[in-house]
Each structure stands twice: as C-alpha cells, then as structure tokens.
C-alpha cells in the first residue's frame, strides 16, 4: 500500500511539472499575439489552477488531502499553494478529537457534519468523555501560548455550535456528572466561554431536578387528550369551511411539525431501529409527522364514509371539497398535506364508490388527476423533486392560476413543507448501500458526508418555514380533532354499506395503495431510489450515487407511510391508508399482492408478492415478501420472521397459513413450494406458532405504526458490485 501511494504521488508530481512547462511555454506567446492584434492593447490571460488529491494515513485516521496551486497574473509570476485535509475515515477517538483541529486543517464543514451524524456510530456520553479527557490535558506550555489560544477558540466553537443546534443531546444525558465535570474545564479568558459555562450549569441543574423529581416530569410528558366521541362527530360540517381556510389550518399544523423536526432523526441507521424493543422513543419528531399524515388521511376517509345515508350527489360534494383543499395545499407548497389528501381519496374504501365518482364534477376530477401526478414514482419521483428544486426556497408556489394569484394578494412569503418520505427513502438507501466501516475497522466518515447532504436539504427547507405566520381557526380545529379514528375494517364496512361489494369498480383507474416494509432489498427487488439531481441548485454526489444505484434495482420504488392493518375482508384490502405514489393510470402498487406487471424488469408469472402478518400482539401489521417459484415454506417463514424483527432461526416453530375469503384458511405444507401451494384468491398470509389457537378474525386495534422502508444487511450484497 505504501509503494502504491508513493507511485501515485510521483505521477501527480510529474503531471504538475508538465502542466507548468506548458503554461510557461504557451501563455506568453498567446498573450503577445492577442496584444498585437487588438487596437485596445487588451492582454489575454487564462489562470491555471492545478489540484492534486491524495490520501494520507496517520495513526488511527485517513485524510483526503487536496493541494491547490493557483498561478497568479503574468505581472506577478509567483504562485500560491493551499492545502486542506478532510477526514475520510478514522477511529472513534480520532474523529472526536478532529473536532478541535478541523478548522486549522481546512476541514471547515467537519463540525457540522459530525454533530449531525455522530449518533450513527457513537453516543453523546462517549463524545463528551473523549473531549473532557482532552480538555484535562490541553496542548501548549501556558495559557498565553499561541497553541493554547487556538485550542481554546476551537473548544468554544465546538461546544457553542453543539449547544445551539442540538441542546437536546445535553438534556437527554440523564446524569449531570459529565456536565459538572466539563464546565470548569472550559477556557477562562473569553466571554463566550463564560456564557457556555452558564448554559451547561443550567442544563446540569435541570437534569438534577429531573432525577430528584421524576414523577413531576413523567406526569407532564404523559398527559394526553381523550379520544374523540364518535357520537358528536358531524362529517358534513367540513362543507361549511372554505377550502382555503382548511388548507391554511393544515399548513399551520404541518409547518409547526416540520420546523420542530430533528433532521438526524431521519438517518437510516436510527430510523431502521425504531421498532426494536427499548427504542420506542427514538425519532419522535418523524413519528409526529407521520401521525399528522395519517390523521389527515383518516379525516378525509371519515368525512366521506361516515354519513352512509347521503345520496351520491351529496357525497360527491365531499370529494370535490377535499380536491379543492388539496389544490389549496398545493398553492401553499404544503406537499405533505397534499399527499395525505390524495392518498385518502385513492384508498380502496373511497375509490370503489362508483356512483359517487360518476357524480363528481369533471373539472374537479381533472384537477385531481394533475395533483396526483405530482407524486408519480416515474424516474424516482422526478416531478416531486423538481418542484422542491424550483419552489423549495421561493417566495410563492410556481402556479399561474386564480388560486395562486389570490394567495399572492393576501399572504406573506410561504415556506415549503415537503413530503418527508422522499428524504427518508434516500437516507435509508445510503445507510444500506455504503458500508459503516472500512476493511481496517475505521469508521467511514465519507458516508456521513453523503448523509449530511440530504440533511442539509431538510434544514434548508426548514429555514424557509421558520418565519411563517398563520391565523388560527378554532371552529375548524374543533371539527378536525373531533374526527374519530377509523380502522381499516370499519372503513370497508362503511364503504360496503354505501355501495354493495358485488358492484364492479367504477372507473378504469385503479387506486394506488399500500406501502411495504422493504427489509430485504435483494429478495423483495424493491427500489428505494434517489435522484440523479440535487433538490436544489448545488451539485450533489449523493444524488449521483443514488441514481447509479437505482439503475441496478429491479422494480419501482415504494416509499410512504405505513399504518397497522386490520384482518382482511372479503375484498382485497390495502395495508395502509397512506398509498404508494400515485401514477396517472392509478395502477395498483406491486405490494398489493397482485401479480407484477409484465413490463417491470424481473417480474413475470413465476413470482408474486404476498402479505404476511404474525399472530402476535402486533399481528395486525403486514409485511410484504416476494415469493418466486423456487421458494419453499421454511425460507418464506424465515424471511417473514426477519421482517417482523423476530429470530429467523426459529422458522421450524411456525406454520404458514393463507387467509382465504369467508374466514377460511389454507395451511401451506411445511416443506412445500409456497408459490404452487397457494391459491390465487388471496395474497394475505398468517404466520402462527405451531400449536397456537388465536382466532384469525379476532378484532385488532389499529394504531399508528411509523414504518418507512427499511433495508438491512442483505441489501449490501446487491450494491457491492457498484463500488
């Protein structure tokens, strides 16, 4: 390795010498010729910048070193050389200590990247311990030495940035001893250090109070409002609110949630751990966004389905109202609420209402199709990404219609509330595709730089929302919070009461519903893709990398918000109220269980996606698995156990059961071929422990389960060939 490094440096040196000779030989001639031909005596000059990029390895750390040599004008032939060292990988201790030396080495972005992503490979306690040990043995001979002064300045910069941007890291320590140990070690000769010390001591005091009075804080955090009373819900009251008022209130809620979003909660390494025991409180800001998404989708469903005695013409007015609300959300750049409304309208309980859709205004249907097209998964959500690129930090939505013109005349500048699922998908992809550590065990910090690019896009959009001002509407707020939560079983029952299930589907457009948990990239062939372009106008190697990875995937992307599902009904039911990205043709997502379309690469008659739930406490949560003609029962059970975060080695203790219409069951043989043993009448399966007798049709409470696509270690085998 050392010999190769020396050879590389020799080559770079040779190229540098040749470039200088070419410059010295040709630039004067070109300048002279240009001066002779121009009556204005203009001197032509082209500056020549040369950069050399090499890797240097020190004890416990690898640097990417960039040496730039810029030649000045002909009048001053002297050239300047700049050198910067950016950490590529290193041990945990070296990465933490680099915080104190990053500016002096030219790695100016290291502090921001580290503080945004360090939770993926270490803990707050460990970082503080390493820094405290270093502060106890500072460099320099005395307090007045230049080395000590630079070190003290770096210490203040690191902790000031940390306390300002991530104060929750210190509030969640639990034990104040580290802060009490850190405070006296801060520099004594600067006003910024005095302020830092005061803030640390206040935080330590809060931690001490929390430890002494835990019941007080627990009571405050556990208080919640009672569930709404269904008897007091008036679904048609939503018609009395102007669409602009509804959209304004929804945007107010979404904006407040988005501003409070903690960007690092979206990291794939953290988000993928949310369902594990003891991790219920992680990523709380993302969960809050998902709850609002599902709450709005539920409100659309409940208002359209609850009044079962309405005539089709009356129910069509409800659909038109929500289409107008979606249009107003689009004008306010509230893509999260827009997608929630469109998702609910495309869910099966509403989509199947043939007579209602026939009575809906044609112009409203045309606008609805245009809004749904925004979230098409074509070219990896290219239209959604392009809108974020164009309107992410713009003052208003880029619309030339009466709604946008009216909105301009009465509103201040608007922020942009994105659909968070796109960012979660990109970060999940990065977490799976790029290794956490190099072969020598060093932490791969280049991976964190790529993740930071996505987090920086979220922070940029958040900054556009921080100064938004909204008026409150108490009447709508009361109605919105009075909407009862419908389980999927209740939604289908109400839909069937409105129109009998034997009636044919009303339209040629099929709904796009379902999002699935993609825990096995290589087996499910599910693409969680990024984009070839950045969301904004700066170049992003992360998006180029995601685009490269996307080309090696097998099927369209499915990324959205999952909720728990109730037991299947006689009809094929969706897994969630929150659908996959709708396309113009409204084709059902592959994760619904239908045979994959023949035009999708890797699909065909010898494979099918099924849905499996476990006969456990969380048995109402389905996971989708691709079954091929070669899959035997043990391998399918193992894959299902792994997707449900269970031990796949215990497959022999479970049996696979296909859930058929009318409550019937088909037990798949223990050593049989699942693809040929299953019937075509259902794609719903149950994983039951052998000897269990839990009734399949027992009612199960539906709760929000904040599940986005997850890809685990097996997916890495697919992407290793790319690098």
């Amino acid at each position: 390795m050392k010999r190769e490094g020396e050879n590389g440096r020799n080559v770079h040196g040779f190229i540098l010498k040749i470039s200088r000779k070419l410059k010295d030989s040709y630039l004067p001639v070109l300048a002279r010729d240009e001066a002779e031909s121009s009556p204005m005596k203009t001197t032509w000059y082209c500056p020549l910048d040369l950069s050399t990029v090499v890797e240097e390895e020190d004890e416990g750390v690898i640097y990417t070193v960039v040496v730039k040599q810029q030649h000045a004008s002909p009048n001053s032939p002297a050239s300047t050389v700049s050198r910067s060292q950016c950490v590529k990988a290193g041990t945990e201790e070296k990465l933490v200590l680099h915080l104190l030396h990053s500016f002096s080495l030219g790695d100016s972005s290291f502090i921001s990247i580290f503080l945004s992503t360090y939770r993926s490979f270490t803990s707050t306690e460990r970082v503080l311990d390493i820094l405290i040990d270093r502060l106890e043995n500072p460099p320099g001979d005395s307090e007045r030495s230049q080395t000590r002064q630079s070190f003290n300045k770096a210490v203040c910069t690191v902790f000031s940035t940390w306390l300002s941007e991530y104060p929750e890291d210190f509030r969640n320590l639990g034990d104040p001893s580290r802060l009490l140990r850190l405070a006296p070690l801060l520099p004594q000769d600067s006003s910024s250090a005095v302020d830092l010390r005061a803030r640390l001591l206040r935080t330590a005091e809060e931690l001490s109070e929390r430890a002494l009075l835990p019941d007080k804080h627990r009571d405050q955090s556990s208080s919640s409002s009672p569930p709404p009373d269904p008897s007091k819900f008036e679904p048609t009251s939503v018609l009395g609110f102007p669409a602009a008022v509804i959209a304004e209130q929804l945007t107010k809620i979404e904006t407040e949630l988005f501003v409070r979003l903690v960007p690092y909660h979206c990291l794939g390494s953290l988000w993928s751990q949310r369902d594990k025991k003891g991790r219920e409180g992680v990523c709380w800001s993302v969960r809050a966004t998902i709850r609002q998404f599902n709450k709005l989708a539920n409100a659309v469903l409940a208002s359209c389905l609850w009044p079962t005695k309405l005539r089709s013409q009356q129910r069509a007015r409800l659909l038109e109202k929500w289409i107008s609300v979606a249009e107003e959300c689009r004008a306010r750049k509230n893509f999260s609420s827009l997608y929630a409304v469109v998702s609910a309208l495309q869910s099966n309980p509403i989509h199947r209402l043939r007579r209602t859709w026939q009575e809906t205004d044609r112009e409203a249907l045309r606008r609805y199709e245009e809004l749904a097209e925004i979230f098409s998964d074509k070219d990896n959500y290219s239209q959604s990404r392009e809108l974020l690129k164009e309107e992410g930090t713009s003052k208003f939505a880029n619309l030339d219609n009466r709604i946008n013109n009216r909105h301009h005349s009465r509103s201040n500048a608007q922020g942009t509330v994105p659909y968070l699922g796109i960012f979660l998908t990109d970060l999940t992809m990065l977490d799976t595709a790029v290794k956490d550590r190099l072969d020598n065990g060093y932490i791969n910090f280049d991976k964190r730089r790529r993740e930071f690019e996505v987090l920086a896009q979220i922070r940029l959009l958040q900054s556009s929302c921080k100064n938004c001002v909204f008026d409150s509407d108490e009447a709508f707020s009361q109605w919105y919070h009075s909407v009862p939560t419908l389980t999927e079983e209740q939604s289908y029952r109400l839909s069937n009461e409105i129109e009998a299930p034997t009636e044919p589907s009303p339209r040629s457009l099929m709904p796009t519903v379902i999002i699935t948990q993609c825990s096995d990239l290589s087996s499910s062939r599910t693409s969680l893709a990024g984009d070839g372009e950045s969301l904004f106008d700066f170049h992003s190697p992360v998006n180029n990398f995601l685009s490269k990875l996307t080309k090696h995937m097998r099927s369209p992307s499915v990324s959205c918000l999952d909720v728990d599902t109730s037991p299947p009904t006689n009809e094929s039911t969706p897994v969630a109220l929150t659908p996959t990205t709708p396309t113009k043709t409204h084709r059902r997502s592959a994760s619904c269980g239908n045979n994959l379309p023949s035009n999708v690469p890797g699909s065909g008659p010898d494979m099918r996606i099924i849905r499996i739930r476990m006969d456990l406490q969380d048995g109402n949560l389905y996971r989708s698995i691709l079954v091929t003609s070669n899959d035997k029962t043990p391998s399918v059970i193992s894959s299902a156990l792994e997707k449900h975060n269970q031990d796949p080695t215990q497959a022999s203790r479970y049996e696979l059961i296909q859930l058929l219409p009318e409550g019937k069951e088909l037990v798949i043989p223990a050593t049989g071929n699942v693809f040929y043993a299953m019937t075509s009448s259902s794609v719903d399966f149950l994983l039951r422990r052998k000897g269990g007798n839990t009734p399949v049709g027992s009612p199960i409470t539906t709760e929000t389960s904040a599940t986005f696509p997850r890809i685990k270690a097996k997916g890495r085998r697919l992407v290793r060939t790319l690098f």
Side-chain angles (χ1 to χ4, degrees):
M1 293 295 291
K2 292 183 178 179
R3 183 175 300 173
E4 291 177 0
E6 293 175 359
N7 293 336
R9 285 191 287 273
N10 292 336
V11 172
H12 288 298
F14 176 75
I15 295 174
L16 184 62
K17 290 179 181 178
I18 294 297
S19 300
R20 289 175 180 171
K21 290 182 179 180
L22 291 173
K23 181 260 181 184
D24 295 337
S25 300
Y26 290 103
L27 285 183
V29 176
L30 292 172
R32 183 174 62 253
D33 294 343
E34 179 68 20
E36 292 174 355
S37 62
S38 174
M40 300 299 294
K41 303 298 181 183
T42 301
T43 300
W44 179 88
Y45 171 67
C46 177
L48 183 61
D49 295 339
L50 297 173
S51 299
T52 304
V53 181
V54 297
E55 286 187 3
E56 292 184 0
E57 183 171 356
D58 200 353
E59 184 180 355
V61 63
I62 300 176
Y63 295 101
T64 299
V65 181
V66 180
V67 180
K68 291 185 178 181
Q69 183 167 4
Q70 182 175 7
H71 292 273
S73 63
N75 296 330
S76 55
S79 60
T80 59
V81 178
S82 63
R83 173 188 171 94
S84 61
Q85 292 182 219
C86 298
V87 169
K88 177 182 178 180
T91 63
E92 178 186 66
E93 182 178 4
K94 288 294 184 179
L95 291 180
V96 175
L97 292 179
H98 188 65
L99 287 167
L100 305 175
H101 309 290
S102 57
F103 273 108
S104 61
L105 295 177
D107 196 357
S108 57
S109 61
F110 180 83
I111 294 178
S112 297
I113 297 173
F114 182 92
L115 293 178
S116 296
T117 61
Y118 78 87
R119 299 155 198 86
S120 298
F121 56 87
T122 188
S123 64
T124 303
E125 292 82 359
R126 178 60 179 158
V127 174
L128 286 175
D129 288 341
I130 295 174
L131 291 175
I132 290 172
D133 290 342
R134 181 56 175 156
L135 290 176
E136 290 177 342
N137 299 281
D141 299 330
S142 64
E143 288 287 343
R144 299 297 180 183
S145 66
Q146 183 64 33
T147 303
R148 181 68 63 84
Q149 292 293 327
S150 299
F151 178 79
N152 289 344
K153 184 178 180 180
V155 170
C156 293
T157 300
V158 170
F159 282 101
S160 177
T161 304
W162 198 353
L163 274 168
S164 299
E165 297 187 7
Y166 306 100
E168 67 276 5
D169 288 357
F170 298 89
R171 299 193 190 107
N172 295 334
L173 284 174
D175 183 8
S177 60
R178 287 182 177 84
L179 299 183
L180 296 175
R181 182 183 168 196
L182 171 64
L185 296 175
L186 294 175
Q188 305 289 334
D189 55 351
S190 67
S191 58
S192 60
V194 173
D195 179 62
L196 281 175
R197 189 178 298 105
R199 293 168 66 183
L200 288 173
L201 291 176
R202 283 198 300 270
T203 304
E205 184 178 355
E206 293 174 3
L207 292 176
S208 300
E209 180 183 354
R210 189 183 306 168
L212 294 173
L213 302 172
D215 294 338
K216 174 183 177 182
H217 295 273
R218 185 179 300 115
D219 292 342
Q220 292 176 352
S221 61
S222 62
S223 59
S224 59
S225 57
D229 184 359
S231 62
K232 299 180 180 180
F233 174 54
E234 298 180 1
T236 57
S237 296
V238 71
L239 295 172
F241 300 103
V245 171
I246 298 175
E248 186 83 0
Q249 297 307 300
L250 294 176
T251 304
K252 175 178 181 294
I253 297 172
E254 294 279 7
T255 301
E256 292 172 351
L257 288 173
F258 183 57
V259 169
R260 291 200 300 268
L261 176 75
V262 181
Y264 70 77
H265 285 176
C266 300
L267 288 173
S269 57
L270 299 181
W271 182 241
S272 62
Q273 302 295 317
R274 67 196 178 280
D275 291 332
K276 290 191 174 181
K277 187 175 182 180
R279 306 278 294 178
E280 292 81 4
V282 301
C283 306
W284 56 266
S285 60
V286 179
R287 294 176 187 269
T289 301
I290 291 173
R291 282 194 294 269
Q292 164 58 20
F293 186 101
N294 292 332
K295 182 179 177 66
L296 175 55
N298 176 77
V300 176
L301 276 167
S303 62
C304 294
L305 298 177
W306 198 278
T308 57
K309 303 302 181 184
L310 290 180
R311 297 193 304 272
S312 298
Q313 298 90 333
Q314 295 172 317
R315 198 178 312 280
R317 303 295 83 78
L318 289 168
L319 298 184
E320 293 167 5
K321 169 64 72 173
W322 285 114
I323 292 172
S324 298
V325 170
E327 195 173 17
E328 291 283 353
C329 288
R330 169 68 186 93
R332 289 162 174 79
K333 300 191 296 181
N334 179 4
F335 294 100
S336 183
S337 294
L338 167 60
Y339 192 19
V341 173
V342 171
S343 298
L345 293 177
Q346 291 197 337
S347 64
N348 254 356
I350 292 181
H351 176 83
R352 61 175 297 276
L353 301 179
R354 175 178 57 86
R355 292 191 296 270
T356 302
W357 285 106
Q358 288 176 345
E359 297 292 341
T360 304
D361 180 69
R362 294 299 180 91
E363 176 61 22
L365 288 176
R366 185 191 63 79
R367 301 198 309 268
Y368 167 62
E369 296 289 342
E370 291 179 354
L371 294 172
E373 184 66 19
I374 292 175
F375 300 99
S376 167
D377 60 358
K378 182 181 179 182
D379 297 330
N380 187 35
Y381 308 95
S382 60
Q383 187 166 346
S384 296
R385 294 177 186 274
E386 188 64 27
L387 283 175
L388 285 179
K389 179 180 177 180
E390 293 176 357
E391 304 178 8
T393 55
S394 64
K395 191 174 182 180
F396 296 104
N398 187 19
L399 298 175
D400 296 326
N401 57 30
R402 57 182 179 81
I403 292 182
N404 204 43
N405 294 334
R406 183 174 70 247
H407 195 62
H408 282 203
S409 64
R410 62 179 177 77
S411 260
N412 297 321
Q414 308 160 339
T416 300
V417 182
Y419 169 58
L420 199 59
I422 294 178
F423 296 108
L424 286 166
T425 299
D426 290 350
L427 289 167
T428 301
M429 170 74 79
L430 278 172
D431 182 57
T432 301
V434 184
K435 294 189 294 186
D436 290 324
R437 294 181 180 268
L438 304 185
D439 294 338
N440 61 3
Y442 287 177
I443 296 170
N444 183 5
F445 199 75
D446 271 354
K447 174 178 180 177
R448 308 308 163 193
R449 295 182 188 275
R450 294 178 177 184
E451 290 177 330
F452 180 74
E453 290 188 18
V454 182
L455 298 182
Q457 295 168 11
I458 297 176
R459 293 176 71 103
L460 182 61
L461 292 175
Q462 284 180 311
S463 66
S464 71
C465 296
K466 289 184 177 178
N467 297 322
C468 296
V469 179
F470 302 94
D471 296 327
S472 298
D473 189 290
E474 284 299 323
F476 174 77
S477 180
Q478 291 178 3
W479 179 88
Y480 186 60
H481 293 295
S482 71
V483 179
T485 301
L486 291 179
T487 65
E488 188 176 356
E489 185 179 16
Q490 290 172 332
S491 299
Y492 275 88
R493 179 177 55 79
L494 292 173
S495 180
N496 290 337
E497 288 181 13
I498 296 170
E499 294 188 23
T502 55
E503 296 184 12
S505 181
R507 313 157 68 200
S508 61
L509 302 180
M510 294 295 291
T512 56
V513 291
I514 321 289
I515 323 284
T516 60
Q517 179 104 359
C518 306
S519 59
D520 187 342
L521 184 63
S522 60
S523 64
S524 68
R525 311 293 205 277
T526 302
S527 164
L528 302 178
D531 192 18
E533 296 181 357
S534 173
L535 291 181
F536 306 104
D537 292 330
F538 51 82
H539 174 71
S540 172
V542 170
N543 289 294
N544 292 335
F545 156 74
L546 290 172
S547 178
K548 179 181 179 183
L549 185 60
T550 303
K551 296 176 182 178
H552 289 72
M553 300 302 174
R554 303 286 303 196
S555 66
S557 171
V558 280
S559 66
C560 191
L561 303 150
D562 281 8
V563 293
D564 293 345
T565 59
S566 55
T569 60
N570 291 343
E571 294 187 348
S572 177
T573 62
V575 172
L577 296 180
T578 53
T580 53
T581 50
T583 62
K584 192 170 184 178
T585 56
H586 292 246
R587 292 174 181 171
R588 185 182 298 274
S589 165
S591 55
C592 287
N594 293 348
N595 288 327
L596 297 175
S598 59
N599 60 344
V600 176
S603 67
D606 59 344
M607 60 180 65
R608 196 176 188 189
I609 292 179
I610 64 172
R611 307 187 311 163
I612 301 180
R613 67 179 176 88
M614 291 195 67
D615 198 8
L616 299 172
Q617 292 180 352
D618 61 345
N620 53 335
L621 180 61
Y622 279 92
R623 307 295 193 197
S624 293
I625 294 179
L626 181 67
V627 176
T628 69
S629 58
N630 297 323
D631 289 334
K632 300 297 180 66
T633 303
S635 64
V636 174
I637 293 178
S638 295
S639 299
L641 288 172
E642 185 174 358
K643 285 199 172 187
H644 283 277
N645 297 319
Q646 304 294 322
D647 185 3
T649 62
Q650 302 295 318
S652 60
R653 299 186 179 183
Y654 291 86
E655 59 182 353
L656 186 63
I657 301 170
Q658 184 177 15
L659 303 178
L660 304 177
E662 301 178 359
K664 297 180 181 179
E665 297 181 358
L666 173 63
V667 179
I668 305 298
T671 59
N673 186 306
V674 178
F675 182 81
Y676 293 110
M678 62 186 291
T679 69
S680 60
S681 60
S682 173
V683 295
D684 297 314
F685 286 76
L686 175 69
L687 203 58
R688 177 185 295 165
R689 185 178 289 272
K690 293 180 179 179
N693 55 1
T694 304
V696 175
S698 57
I700 302 173
T701 304
T702 299
E703 299 176 355
T704 299
S705 170
T707 57
F708 268 88
R710 244 186 328 185
I711 314 174
K712 298 184 180 178
K714 290 184 181 179
R716 292 177 179 166
R717 296 198 295 269
L718 181 62
V719 299
R720 282 176 182 166
T721 57
L722 302 179
F723 308 99

